[in-house]
Structure formats: structure tokens, C-alpha cells
């Protein structure tokens, strides 16, 4: 009998939520409210209740050191709701080997910085083949060759058809150690210009092969942005320091060549992500081959290390002047607000509280009518009056429980933890703590709070000044076990998305609400 009732409850829930896009992923084994359905038929009802939804101001700052940046962000985007958001990136670089020997009479030919953005690998915009290409090599001079170029659009958030002038500068200040904390709003002077590149939003892979025999002459298999840097700078900064203390060890070098800052000149366009650990900085140079008589020139390369082990910092700038967010109501946990703003990279978050009268109403239903909660979710709708545009709707969120406890000082401490639903059911196959329907007009999002609400209603737990917090981004997982690392390990520091939602303090039919499915015996 118990097994039959389990199946009936689960099937009922799937009918309520079922569609290819939106469904309730609560698993069969959770037994929520099951004790009230034994030896009797279950009836399911769905009803909406008021919640208090408010904006959280994060002061446009967030930790963006290497421990937080799976991806770096570059670009700028300006629109009326959130204003201007601009992202630059700083990194140390290290020698691939210390006390390097560049040979006799070493002379730099060129230096290239390669940034590898995330791109649409299934969307080749152009494929060009030049069978009559002439390639110049140092050893053989000109060679008849074939050049194949595949071009792909970079994944962007914002106004896609814009051109950026990417600028690379030398950093003038020591960036500290790789394990040190860094904030996104910190200023780092970077004066000396090392190079620029016009970027039109696409990246290319290149393969050049000899006509005679098909041997590879040049290959850039992973599409990237190749930025030429000042060869004279590297001649004087690196080659001329051969054998000197500046190149002897990492400590000396990171204080001598403190790093580079990558930015864009423009104030509007789009934001795009790239992998910090996949960046390359290659110095092409020639030296004297003294094993021949007379001496001949030999061409070689030297690669700097920009990946793991270096300090990486995301630097974010904001101009909120004239934007809707600049005049939005913030932090009203008693009455809520009419519009909710959510933005990654240190922008605002959304807070949710359950009003006392909502919990009291649910408790009365539970006590008087044996109305046990089968499912509960917070529903948020995109605000069409403010966010009716072509920008991609967010699909990645974090959802945390925020507790405020008063201590004797009388200061208070705030702790963030996974929600009860996430800690209870995260390991069960198919469970999701949020779902969404982007085809609805307007789109909406459901955040599962079943266990959290049941605790307040059916076990008389105190709310302990609890609220819920919604951010854009995803929880990060352990690469070996796929388990969640922790509530503070998220992609929020480099999430480029944003959206405006309907709040709770409004007469809008799509206002923020708590949807509860409950059953009575």
C-alpha cells in the first residue's frame, strides 16, 4: 500500500509540473507528507501565497582572485536597467624556466599574446582555403603552402555586433601571491602600453601546410585572439637581463615584471569569457648559431607561463548613473519591492522571506485540515515592462539560505548555507533546485523550497531570521566526485548575465509568490 501511495503522489506532482521544459524533479523516495496519506485517498491542491521579495545591494564588488575565476571576463556592456558594466583582467606571468640562456646576440623578432575565448564550436561563420598561399620561414625563405582558416563567433552577452580595441598594458604594482584575496573594484595602475588589437567578435583557427609533402608549417588549432606586443619592450625587459637577478627566480621576476592588464577602450558592446589558464605569451627570437663557421642565425621561441600558479584578478567597473537600478528600492525585507534586479560579477542579488501571515495560514491549514505540503516553490516572472529585449534569459542560478543571528555585542553575523532541499536531495538522480519555462510569456522560474517550508509549517521550527538569496551563476562541483564544493564556491564572480523580475510589492498578476501543492486526506 505504501509503495502505491508513493507512486500516486509522484505521478500527481509530474502532472502538475509536467512539460519538456518545466517539471518537478522531486524524487520518489522523499516521502514528504506521506504519513497523512496512508489508508486514505489523496487530494492535491495548488494555491499561491504572498512572499516578501527584495533587492540586495552587493556594492558592485566581489572576490575575483584566482580561486574564484574559472573564467576571466573582458568587454563592456551598457543598457538602461543596470547601467554600464566593464570588465578587465590582470595576470602575473612567470618564466617557463629561470636563469634562461637566450644564446649569443639574441634578437626579438615578435611577441604574441593569445587569449582563447569561449566560442560557438558548432557555428563556423567562414571557412576559407587558400591553395596559393606563400609562407615565409626563417630557414627556407618563401614556401608554397595551403592556408585553411575556420572562423567562429565568440559567446557574448550584450550587443553582439560591436568592435573592441583590446589594450594590453604592463602592471605597475606587485599583484601579491596567488592565494591572496582580491576584490573586483580594486585599482591597479598599468601605464606602459605593450600592444593593441582590433577585435570584431570572432576567433579563428589556422592551419598552414606545405604543398610539397603536406608538412605543417604553422598551426593554431584552438581559435584565439592573437595580440602583437612590443618587441623592443621584451628585448629590453627580458633578453637584456640575461644572467641578472631579475630572471633568477619567481620571487624576483614577479616583482620585476609585475604582470599585464588586458582591457577594452570602449564603454559599450558585450561581455565575453575566456580561460585564464589557457592564455599564451610567446616570444619569437633569433640568436647566433656558433657551431657553424661563419656563425648563422637560428630562430627559436620562448613561452611565458600565464596559467596556474599566477595571480589572476578580474577588475570590474560600473557606471549606474541614470539606470533603473540606481534608483531602485534596496533591502526592504518588511514590505518588499515591485522590481527585482539580479546581475552577476558583483551586481545585485534577490532576497526572499516568508511573511508571518503566510506561514500562519499554512500552519492553520495543516492543523485544521490535515493539509500536508507535497511541494512548495518560489516563482519569479521576468518583468516584461523592464526587461523585454533580445538578450539571453538567464538559466544558471544559485539559491542559498541566509541566517541572521544576534550576538551579545550587539553586532550580528550572517551565514549562508545550502537550502534544506538541496542538502536533503542533491544526491538523488534528477533533482534540480530550480526549474524554468522560457517559452512562457513572460518567462518564469521556480525555486524549490518544499523542505524549508515544511520545516516552518509542520515542525514549528523558528525561522531564525532566515531569508533566501538568489544569485546568477552556478554552484561549482568537485571535478573528481561531481559533488558540490560549498555554498560560497560559485561562478557568480564571472557570470555575465542579468535580468529584471517582478517583485512582491505590486498589483501585477505575475508578482513574486509562493506556490504550494498540498494534500488533504
Amino acid at each position: 500500500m505504501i509503495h502505491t501511495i508513493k507512486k500516486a503522489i509522484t505521478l500527481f506532482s509530474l502532472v502538475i509540473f509536467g512539460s519538456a521544459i518545466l517539471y518537478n524533479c522531486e524524487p520518489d523516495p522523499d516521502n514528504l507528507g506521506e504519513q497523512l496519506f496512508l489508508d486514505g485517498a489523496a487530494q492535491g491542491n495548488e494555491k499561491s501565497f504572498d512572499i516578501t521579495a527584495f533587492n540586495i545591494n552587493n556594492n558592485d564588488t566581489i572576490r575575483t582572485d584566482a580561486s574564484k575565476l574559472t573564467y576571466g571576463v573582458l568587454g563592456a556592456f551598457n543598457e538602461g536597467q543596470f547601467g554600464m558594466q566593464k570588465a578587465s583582467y590582470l595576470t602575473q606571468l612567470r618564466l617557463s624556466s629561470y636563469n634562461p640562456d637566450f644564446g649569443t646576440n639574441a634578437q626579438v623578432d615578435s611577441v604574441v599574446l593569445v587569449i582563447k575565448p569561449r566560442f560557438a564550436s558548432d557555428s563556423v561563420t567562414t571557412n576559407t582555403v587558400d591553395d596559393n598561399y606563400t609562407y615565409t620561414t626563417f630557414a627556407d625563405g618563401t614556401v608554397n603552402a595551403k592556408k585553411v582558416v575556420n572562423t567562429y563567433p565568440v559567446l557574448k552577452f550584450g550587443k553582439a555586433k560591436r568592435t573592441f580595441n583590446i589594450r594590453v598594458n604592463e602592471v605597475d604594482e606587485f599583484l601579491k601571491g596567488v592565494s591572496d584575496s582580491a576584490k573586483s573594484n580594486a585599482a591597479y595602475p598599468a601605464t606602459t602600453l605593450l600592444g593593441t588589437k582590433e577585435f570584431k567578435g570572432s576567433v579563428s583557427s589556422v592551419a598552414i601546410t606545405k604543398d610539397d609533402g603536406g608538412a605543417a608549417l604553422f598551426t593554431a588549432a584552438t581559435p584565439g585572439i592573437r595580440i602583437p606586443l612590443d618587441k623592443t619592450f621584451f628585448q629590453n625587459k627580458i633578453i637584456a637581463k640575461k644572467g641578472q637577478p631579475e630572471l633568477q627566480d619567481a620571487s624576483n621576476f614577479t616583482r620585476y615584471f609585475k604582470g599585464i592588464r588586458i582591457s577594452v577602450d570602449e564603454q559599450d558592446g558585450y561581455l565575453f569569457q575566456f580561460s585564464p589558464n589557457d592564455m599564451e605569451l610567446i616570444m619569437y627570437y633569433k640568436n647566433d648559431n656558433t657551431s657553424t663557421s661563419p656563425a648563422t642565425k637560428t630562430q627559436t621561441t620562448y613561452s611565458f607561463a600565464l596559467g596556474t600558479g599566477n595571480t589572476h584578478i578580474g577588475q570590474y567597473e560600473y557606471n549606474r548613473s541614470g539606470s533603473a537600478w540606481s534608483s531602485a528600492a534596496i533591502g526592504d525585507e518588511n514590505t518588499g519591492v515591485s522590481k527585482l534586479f539580479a546581475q552577476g560579477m558583483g551586481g545585485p542579488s534577490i532576497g526572499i522571506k516568508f511573511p508571518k501571515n503566510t506561514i500562519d495560514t499554512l500552519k492553520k491549514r495543516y492543523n485544521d485540515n490535515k493539509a500536508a505540503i507535497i511541494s512548495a516553490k518560489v516563482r519569479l516572472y521576468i518583468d516584461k515592462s523592464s526587461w523585454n529585449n533580445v538578450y539571453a534569459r538567464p538559466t544558471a542560478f544559485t539559491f542559498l539560505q541566509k541566517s541572521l543571528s544576534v550576538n551579545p555585542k550587539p553586532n550580528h553575523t550572517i551565514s549562508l548555507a545550502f537550502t534544506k532541499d538541496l542538502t536533503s536531495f542533491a544526491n538523488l538522480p534528477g533533482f534540480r533546485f530550480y526549474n524554468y519555462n522560457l517559452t512562457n510569456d513572460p518567462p518564469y522560474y521556480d525555486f524549490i523550497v518544499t523542505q524549508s517550508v515544511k520545516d516552518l509549517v509542520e515542525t514549528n521550527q523558528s525561522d531564525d531570521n532566515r531569508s533566501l538569496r538568489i544569485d546568477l551563476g552556478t554552484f561549482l562541483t568537485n571535478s573528481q566526485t561531481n559533488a558540490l564544493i560549498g555554498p560560497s564556491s560559485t561562478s557568480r564572480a564571472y557570470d555575465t548575465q542579468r535580468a529584471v523580475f517582478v517583485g512582491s510589492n505590486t498589483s501585477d498578476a505575475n508578482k513574486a509568490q509562493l506556490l504550494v501543492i498540498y494534500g488533504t486526506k
Side-chain angles (χ1 to χ4, degrees), residues 180-251:
D180 289 329
S181 175
K183 290 295 188 71
S184 61
N185 62 345
Y188 301 90
T191 53
T192 302
L193 179 64
L194 302 183
T196 63
K197 174 78 172 186
E198 185 180 75
F199 178 59
K200 296 186 177 181
S202 298
V203 289
S204 299
S205 62
V206 181
I208 302 174
T209 55
K210 267 187 178 182
D211 284 348
D212 183 11
L217 295 170
F218 177 83
T219 302
T222 302
I225 307 169
R226 297 176 63 85
I227 306 172
L229 303 183
D230 185 352
K231 66 179 184 179
T232 302
F233 173 90
F234 281 85
Q235 180 73 36
N236 297 329
K237 192 83 174 182
I238 304 298
I239 298 294
K241 293 294 181 179
K242 174 186 171 182
Q244 298 187 26
E246 290 87 338
L247 309 189
Q248 294 294 319
D249 57 47
S251 178

Side-chain angles (χ1 to χ4, degrees), residues 116-417:
K116 299 176 182 179
R118 302 181 72 184
F119 64 95
S121 58
D122 59 348
S123 302
V124 178
T125 56
T126 59
N127 175 268
T128 60
V129 178
D130 186 351
D131 288 313
N132 299 309
Y133 186 73
T134 300
Y135 185 75
T136 302
T137 69
F138 184 76
D140 303 324
T142 59
V143 178
N144 293 329
K146 175 181 179 179
K147 182 179 181 181
V148 178
V149 179
N150 290 325
T151 302
Y152 307 85
V154 166
L155 298 176
K156 314 174 184 74
F157 188 83
K159 305 175 178 74
K161 295 182 179 180
R162 295 294 175 97
T163 297
F164 283 140
N165 183 58
I166 299 178
R167 184 178 297 271
V168 181
N169 291 81
E170 180 189 16
V171 175
D172 300 332
E173 180 180 296
F174 177 56
L175 296 179
K176 299 183 181 179
V178 66
S179 60
D180 289 329
S181 175
K183 290 295 188 71
S184 61
N185 62 345
Y188 301 90
T191 53
T192 302
L193 179 64
L194 302 183
T196 63
K197 174 78 172 186
E198 185 180 75
F199 178 59
K200 296 186 177 181
S202 298
V203 289
S204 299
S205 62
V206 181
I208 302 174
T209 55
K210 267 187 178 182
D211 284 348
D212 183 11
L217 295 170
F218 177 83
T219 302
T222 302
I225 307 169
R226 297 176 63 85
I227 306 172
L229 303 183
D230 185 352
K231 66 179 184 179
T232 302
F233 173 90
F234 281 85
Q235 180 73 36
N236 297 329
K237 192 83 174 182
I238 304 298
I239 298 294
K241 293 294 181 179
K242 174 186 171 182
Q244 298 187 26
E246 290 87 338
L247 309 189
Q248 294 294 319
D249 57 47
S251 178
N252 284 350
F253 186 75
T254 54
R255 287 165 174 80
Y256 166 62
F257 193 169
K258 301 175 179 66
I260 58 175
R261 178 178 185 264
I262 308 167
S263 61
V264 301
D265 289 343
E266 291 71 21
Q267 304 297 309
D268 191 17
Y270 50 83
L271 301 166
F272 66 93
Q273 297 175 332
F274 61 93
S275 173
N277 292 331
D278 289 340
M279 292 175 61
E280 298 178 88
L281 202 161
I282 307 167
M283 181 174 68
Y284 299 85
Y285 68 97
K286 56 180 176 286
N287 55 26
D288 289 347
N289 182 1
T290 56
S291 65
T292 63
S293 182
T296 57
K297 293 292 184 182
T298 300
Q299 191 166 36
T300 187
T301 64
Y302 187 89
S303 296
F304 295 84
L306 279 74
T308 303
N310 288 292
T311 297
H312 300 157
I313 300 173
Q315 186 181 41
Y316 306 149
E317 304 169 57
Y318 292 87
N319 184 352
R320 305 291 194 181
S321 178
S323 68
W325 170 244
S326 67
S327 58
I330 298 169
D332 192 340
E333 300 184 22
N334 296 317
T335 59
V337 296
S338 61
K339 293 184 188 297
L340 301 170
F341 295 78
Q343 182 184 31
M345 298 164 56
S349 308
I350 295 172
I352 302 292
K353 291 192 76 171
F354 302 125
K356 184 178 184 302
N357 62 335
T358 290
I359 298 302
D360 288 346
T361 299
L362 289 169
K363 284 182 177 180
K364 182 173 176 57
R365 287 173 179 269
Y366 176 71
N367 293 325
D368 294 351
N369 303 321
K370 302 299 183 185
I373 296 169
I374 299 174
S375 175
K377 57 191 178 182
V378 170
R379 175 167 291 182
L380 299 180
Y381 285 87
I382 292 286
D383 181 31
K384 285 185 65 175
S385 67
S386 302
W387 201 247
N388 188 17
N389 50 50
V390 299
Y391 308 131
R393 299 294 180 249
T395 56
F397 297 88
T398 63
F399 192 37
L400 294 170
Q401 178 178 295
K402 180 179 178 182
S403 296
L404 177 67
S405 57
V406 178
N407 65 30
K409 289 191 177 179
N411 298 321
H412 60 260
T413 57
I414 296 174
S415 63
L416 288 172

